[in-house]
Amino acid sequence: MGNPGGCQTSWNSTALPDPREEAGKASAAISVTKGSNSGLPACKVITCRAAIAWTANAPLSIEEVEVDPPKPGEVRIKIVSSGLCGTDKHILEGKDKVPLPAILGHEGTGIVESIGEGVTTVQPGDKVLIFLLPECGECRFCLHPKGNMCVKENILSPTGLMLDGTSRFTCRGRKIYHLYGTSTFTEYTVVHEIAVGKIDAAAPLDKVCIMSCAVPTGFGVVFNTARVTPGSTCVIFGLGGIGSAVVMGCKASGASRIIGVDIIEDKFPWARALGVTDCLNPQNLKRPVQEVVVEMTGGGADFAFEAVGLTDTMVAAFESCHVSYGVCVIIGVAPSAAKLSFDPLMLLPGRTLKGATLGEYKTRSCIPKLVTDYMQRKFNTDSLITHQFPFEKINKAFELFCSEHCKGCQCRQKLIYNQRRNATPKSQCKILNTTFTAEESHTRTRRCSDHVYTILKRKTTA
């Protein structure tokens, strides 16, 4: 489903979870500062808090940082919510190599605080999504109807710098690197205009934050990359946040059988509620899981999706799809030094092995439309958000992420930054027998399993 450009999706609302009650539409209040080169008052350096990764294999450190004004073509954004994902975890573990020290985080929503010279698509006060993949609209990749890997991306060989080769962050007199041109584990960030998408002013930022990465990734690999067909059989390796979004997409596409594979069985009841028909724990099988899937499906699944980020599960997913016409899509990001190895004869009969970033959506052109569809109740992804933490507990969130309950699932968890001032942390959210504080009136303790999204809420000091 979805056109070749990846912008349109036909939703079968009966195949998706019932929408929750409409979220509040109050917009966060901000202090608006105009661009520095537009004849208006000049922007100033902002001092705020950020969680810095000084080195790998160490906790994040919440520090006071200086955030420079936006330069031409750039936007400074007050972050409202940000998601924590396996990529951040791999970086902290030293598995994914990026320049450090850096402010991590790449899945975020916020409100434009100020703009640089020449910025025309957003204005101070706009609610926006931040994308790790830009869309310049000028390169051959952006102009081609397929694909979305803009030539100005900073993902494949991350430099940690803006396009002009400099950083906008300083801490203790030292320059701090960006992550993929985003850096959302901070109260304020600076990004390029080509990596920002304006969204509905009524959109609840703590809900649509996952539209910045996880949801378009999961939906897009179904609608744009694999193009799942009605009546087909699908298998999803990894039932975390992205895997769950894949399940929702497969069900909406009319798949008749959806097999979920994960080593955490606590996820299975919730996965079945989303649309999974069969659940497999590879650790409980006497044979390789791919052999079991091939036998269950009478020759292999029509479509296989890998949302874990391990080479072993990538090969297993590939071997699970039909020998002649099966399509396997790799979503998970493997550690930097990993190599994928399989028998090339597996390709000759006709199997297809593909990959995708952000579900092949053209980011600025297409992903904000997902927010519009969400606001129009065409689908509901609120259930993908399961936990909430205050910003000060970001390392606790990572501990949960790396705990036995999440090990191997490569789940996406969620951190939500609440910008209310003078909030008193009174209510509590019990997660895995550990209690963390969360802001009163915004805390939601969900019965959903703990593997999908964790929310971090915070109050600002800026």
Side-chain angles (χ1 to χ4, degrees), residues 131-447:
F131 306 122
L132 78 163
L133 192 61
E135 182 188 353
C136 72
E138 299 174 347
C139 70
R140 60 176 298 186
F141 304 102
C142 289
L143 295 176
H144 196 280
K146 295 182 179 179
N148 61 355
M149 190 58 64
C150 177
V151 71
K152 295 183 179 179
E153 58 82 20
N154 197 234
I155 303 172
L156 301 181
S157 298
T159 64
L161 301 172
M162 302 293 280
L163 289 174
D164 67 354
T166 63
S167 169
R168 302 293 172 269
F169 299 117
T170 306
C171 181
R172 304 183 197 171
R174 183 176 178 181
K175 282 296 181 181
I176 305 299
Y177 288 105
H178 298 247
L179 178 69
Y180 308 144
T182 53
S183 292
T184 58
F185 292 172
T186 174
E187 291 176 325
Y188 287 87
T189 190
V190 176
V191 300
H192 299 105
E193 179 186 16
I194 59 176
V196 173
K198 181 180 177 179
I199 59 175
D200 191 323
L205 297 182
D206 61 335
K207 299 295 193 301
V208 302
C209 169
I210 54 179
M211 308 291 175
S212 180
C213 178
V215 171
T217 297
F219 287 177
V221 295
V222 174
F223 302 135
N224 304 327
T225 309
R227 295 179 177 254
V228 171
T229 54
S232 60
T233 297
C234 302
V235 58
I236 296 98
F237 284 74
L239 297 174
I242 288 181
S244 298
V246 173
V247 171
M248 295 174 68
C250 290
K251 184 173 182 179
S253 294
S256 61
R257 191 173 190 181
I258 303 173
I259 303 170
V261 180
D262 207 294
I263 63 174
I264 310 298
E265 295 190 9
D266 288 347
K267 302 177 184 180
F268 291 169
W270 190 78
R272 287 192 175 96
L274 284 180
V276 169
T277 57
D278 306 86
C279 294
L280 297 176
N281 181 349
Q283 295 181 337
N284 294 338
L285 302 176
K286 296 181 179 179
R287 293 179 294 158
V289 64
Q290 54 265 48
E291 294 182 10
V292 175
V293 172
V294 169
E295 181 177 321
M296 289 173 61
T297 56
D302 299 306
F303 302 96
F305 302 90
E306 198 278 348
V308 178
L310 299 175
T311 55
D312 288 346
T313 50
M314 292 176 183
V315 172
F318 186 43
E319 294 179 347
S320 294
C321 62
H322 195 279
V323 64
S324 181
Y325 50 77
V327 176
C328 176
V329 182
I330 303 300
I331 311 167
V333 179
S336 296
K339 302 294 182 182
L340 189 60
S341 177
F342 57 87
D343 185 349
L345 287 176
M346 293 177 59
L347 290 167
L348 293 183
R351 287 186 184 93
T352 300
L353 180 63
K354 307 181 74 174
T357 301
L358 286 178
E360 293 190 38
Y361 283 111
K362 307 282 190 183
T363 51
R364 292 200 297 159
S365 300
C366 303
I367 295 180
K369 296 178 183 179
L370 289 177
V371 176
T372 301
D373 287 346
Y374 167 86
M375 296 298 291
Q376 294 175 353
R377 296 180 170 284
K378 293 182 179 180
F379 64 83
N380 172 43
T381 51
D382 290 357
S383 59
L384 297 182
I385 302 172
T386 58
H387 296 108
Q388 302 182 1
F389 292 86
F391 178 58
E392 294 77 9
K393 300 290 185 180
I394 187 169
N395 286 311
K396 291 291 185 181
F398 270 106
E399 288 176 12
L400 170 65
F401 188 86
C402 300
S403 70
E404 292 180 1
H405 298 269
C406 287
K407 194 174 294 181
C409 67
Q410 298 301 312
C411 60
R412 289 212 169 221
Q413 300 187 350
K414 188 138 189 64
L415 302 89
I416 291 296
Y417 300 73
N418 182 7
Q419 299 292 351
R420 291 195 309 144
R421 292 176 180 269
N422 303 319
T424 302
K426 295 180 180 178
S427 55
Q428 303 203 331
C429 180
K430 191 172 184 181
I431 306 169
L432 299 179
N433 299 318
T434 303
T435 300
F436 304 104
T437 58
E439 292 191 25
E440 191 178 18
S441 84
H442 285 271
T443 299
R444 287 182 171 83
T445 303
R446 304 182 186 277
R447 195 171 64 85

Side-chain angles (χ1 to χ4, degrees), residues 22-86:
E22 186 175 2
K25 298 182 179 181
S27 299
I30 66 168
S31 176
V32 173
T33 306
K34 297 295 184 179
S36 58
N37 296 300
S38 59
L40 297 168
C43 298
K44 298 180 179 179
V45 171
I46 287 178
T47 299
C48 66
R49 295 182 303 167
I52 297 178
W54 289 101
T55 183
N57 299 305
L60 294 172
S61 177
I62 296 180
E63 306 269 2
E64 227 179 45
V65 300
E66 293 81 48
V67 183
D68 292 341
K71 292 185 178 182
E74 298 176 355
V75 180
R76 189 161 61 184
I77 298 168
K78 183 176 184 178
I79 298 294
V80 174
S81 62
S82 179
L84 178 154
C85 82

